Amino acid sequence: MALTETTKVDLIQLVENNSIQVRTATIIERNGTEISRTFHRHVVAPGDNVTNEDPKVQAIANAIWTDEVIAAYRASLSTPTI
């Protein structure tokens, strides 16, 4: 009975404020048959360091996070909501 655990980024979404939501799946298999799958999500905001992110996430961030996008995101953090 061989158990294996695989982790992979299985969903990448761009959300309204140009943040990138990343879902990582952890898959447990017994003899090649999946017996469990769990998910973890995290968000990468414009201007965050993406060095340790999946290469696909890095490519998306590099393509969309212009200086203007990063500045607009940071400005939105200091804007009070009512």
Side-chain angles (χ1 to χ4, degrees):
M1 176 169 73
L3 289 177
T4 59
E5 179 178 322
T6 307
T7 302
K8 67 178 184 176
V9 171
D10 72 335
L11 183 65
I12 302 170
Q13 296 174 308
L14 182 64
V15 294
E16 184 177 345
N17 64 1
N18 289 310
S19 291
I20 302 169
Q21 181 172 272
V22 183
R23 184 176 80 177
T24 304
T26 301
I27 304 154
I28 307 293
E29 294 180 332
R30 179 186 301 134
N31 298 326
T33 301
E34 183 177 320
I35 60 172
S36 173
R37 182 180 294 241
T38 58
F39 300 103
H40 170 78
R41 290 181 188 264
H42 70 278
V43 175
V44 187
D48 284 355
N49 183 343
V50 294
T51 304
N52 295 322
E53 294 293 335
D54 183 89
K56 294 176 200 168
V57 175
Q58 292 178 15
I60 293 168
N62 291 331
I64 64 168
W65 289 352
T66 63
D67 291 340
E68 293 80 15
V69 167
I70 294 169
Y73 174 77
R74 289 182 178 155
S76 73
L77 297 178
S78 61
T79 304
T81 56
I82 298 175

